[in-house]
Amino acid sequence: MMASDKRMHYRVGPGGEVSGEITVPGDKSISHRALMLGALAEGDTEISGFLAGEDCLSTLRALSALGVRIEHLQPQHVLVHGVGAQGLSGAASPLDMGNAGTAMRLFMGLLAPQRFDSVLIGDESLMRRPMERVAEPLRAMGARIETRDGRPPVHIHGTPGLKAIEYRLPVASAQVKSAVLLAGLRASGRTRVTEPAPARDHTERMLEAFGVTLVREGPSVSIEGGQRLSATAVRVPADFSSAAFFMVAGCLAAERGLLLRNVGINPTRTGLLRLLGQMGADIRLHPHGASQRGEPIADIEVHQSRLRGIEVPEELVPLSIDEFPVFFIAAALAEGETLVRGAQELRVKESDRLAAMAQGLTRLGVENRLLEDGLWIRGGRGFSGGIIESQGDHRIAMAFSVAGLAARGSIEIRDVANVTTSFPGFLELSRAAGLRIEAA
Ligand code: S3P
């Protein structure tokens, strides 16, 4: 590492086999929501399987700053002493959401109807991300919110007495849907949100687990304002999006099979299973009998497979939105061509994931073409070694770590500190599974 460069990097040696049984950390989306709904509930909410990654810790710290007492008893075990719907109090300083887009957008919905003002800020990446998609519907409910050219800092002038709206989402976004539903919880009347395509429904499932009545009608969900939440126990499953890296690793190099334990398989999250299935992957699900508070769970068994390129059906894009970085690694190894369109949302994630993946694949000798809304890849020729810029994006860093299994030389992945936002312990767990990865 150069003296001027204090960032952390990974070096991934070529080849290797993955095997054994592993459990990836808890689900990020569900951990954020468990903290937030636990805070708004009456009574104590015990969360087990909590993801103690930086993103969820940002949510935890923000709720503490808003006057919620939260005991972080063990890394994966949290006790939230709910303050009830009216119980939050204003924070003394801006609330720092770090790298967490979900935290910032859901907090907008949660804080808009409060009696106090709030300011939301984040790290360099988050300060570049679009927030008007949430501010606009909230303003239609009567909220007073200012962004800077559509981006953070977000100034929220608390406005009790929001009015319900009927909102048709312009993009399939669980974050926007969730923010409107959270604001709807405090609005007068019935708020209805209609999605253009299904996006993850963890907020809906968890609101129901906290005793809130929702009405789901086809692509719409509605909520009557003024309902109270009652505390409950939440068991967070392992994160499908973190397991995804090992599903692809298994397809590449699990000669004897790899088992991923206790993974959340909510159908609004598992588009990758269908995509890999279409590519010819040998992946077997072993569902657990009872779902945890409405979230289905399975052990996932993966075997080394010969993959073939596919044209990704556009309706599967929102259902696999966070998995595209590692899906592109699978596509680069698959025989033939793979095409993804309708995935322009990838350009406004923690990085521009289409550009970051196209650049990284080119560095590793994979022929590809970057499109406005997707990526075309010619696969089947393996990876050369090379240096990858992660753009500070956790999922880009982890996706290229998996590529090492099928590389002809070492891959150096730069600027990987943000892996801890979603996957603390990634390095250790990857090594345990068989990846030849080390910190550099
Ligand atoms: C998330 C929703 C998705 C996803 C993000 C987590 C959530 O974002 O990409 O990682 O927890 O609601 P969008 O709502 O912007 O699609």
Side-chain angles (χ1 to χ4, degrees), residues 199-219:
R200 66 189 68 192
D201 66 354
H202 301 302
T203 302
E204 295 92 304
R205 288 175 191 244
M206 198 175 292
L207 280 168
E208 286 170 338
F210 278 80
V212 172
T213 303
L214 295 173
V215 179
R216 302 199 202 204
E217 294 157 303

Side-chain angles (χ1 to χ4, degrees), residues 203-261:
T203 302
E204 295 92 304
R205 288 175 191 244
M206 198 175 292
L207 280 168
E208 286 170 338
F210 278 80
V212 172
T213 303
L214 295 173
V215 179
R216 302 199 202 204
E217 294 157 303
S220 302
V221 55
S222 66
I223 186 170
E224 187 67 39
Q227 297 186 63
R228 298 163 109 148
L229 280 69
S230 41
T232 183
V234 180
R235 282 184 63 185
V236 182
D239 197 322
F240 183 88
S241 297
S242 297
F245 299 104
F246 293 98
M247 286 177 218
V248 173
C251 289
L252 305 188
E255 284 168 34
R256 291 168 295 165
L258 176 69
L259 192 70
L260 304 166
R261 289 231 177 260

Side-chain angles (χ1 to χ4, degrees), residues 304-316:
Q304 191 175 40
S305 316
R306 281 181 71 91
L307 302 179
R308 21 175 216 281
I310 56 167
E311 196 164 316
V312 170
E314 266 194 50
E315 69 272 16
L316 292 186

Side-chain angles (χ1 to χ4, degrees), residues 47-125:
I47 309 171
S48 55
F50 175 73
L51 171 66
E54 280 307 313
D55 275 12
C56 299
L57 294 176
S58 294
T59 290
L60 192 155
R61 285 190 284 262
L63 289 168
S64 303
L66 293 163
V68 183
R69 197 157 71 81
I70 304 179
E71 294 178 74
H72 199 165
L73 303 168
Q74 285 165 23
Q76 298 172 19
H77 193 183
V78 176
L79 186 61
V80 185
H81 299 281
V83 294
Q86 317 273 356
L88 297 178
S89 48
S93 44
L95 299 166
D96 188 351
M97 303 288 144
N99 194 242
T102 304
M104 186 170 285
R105 295 191 176 126
L106 269 57
F107 266 116
M108 287 170 71
L110 199 145
L111 293 172
Q114 301 295 334
R115 292 178 196 286
F116 51 83
D117 296 350
S118 309
V119 181
L120 308 181
I121 57 171
D123 72 2
E124 216 187 305
S125 152

Side-chain angles (χ1 to χ4, degrees), residues 332-383:
L333 267 308
E335 282 298 326
E337 301 172 25
T338 290
L339 179 66
V340 181
R341 303 295 308 257
Q344 58 275 11
E345 274 297 298
L346 292 176
R347 291 197 177 268
V348 290
K349 294 294 178 187
E350 286 83 328
S351 69
D352 176 342
R353 287 186 172 158
L354 291 177
M357 288 305 299
Q359 186 198 59
L361 291 172
T362 303
R363 292 262 176 98
L364 300 185
V366 176
E367 192 186 345
N368 69 87
R369 200 157 54 238
L370 178 60
L371 310 169
E372 200 47 51
D373 65 342
L375 199 56
W376 171 88
I377 295 171
R378 186 192 304 287
R381 293 171 195 176
F383 298 107

Side-chain angles (χ1 to χ4, degrees), residues 40 85-88 105-118 138-139 141-145 156-163 179-188 226:
L40 296 180
Q86 317 273 356
L88 297 178
R105 295 191 176 126
L106 269 57
F107 266 116
M108 287 170 71
L110 199 145
L111 293 172
Q114 301 295 334
R115 292 178 196 286
F116 51 83
D117 296 350
S118 309
L138 295 179
R139 281 190 206 112
M141 300 175 85
R144 290 192 302 136
I145 297 179
I156 302 167
H157 306 281
T159 315
L162 298 185
K163 294 178 300 296
V180 175
L181 290 175
L182 288 174
L185 198 54
R186 294 288 303 279
S188 58

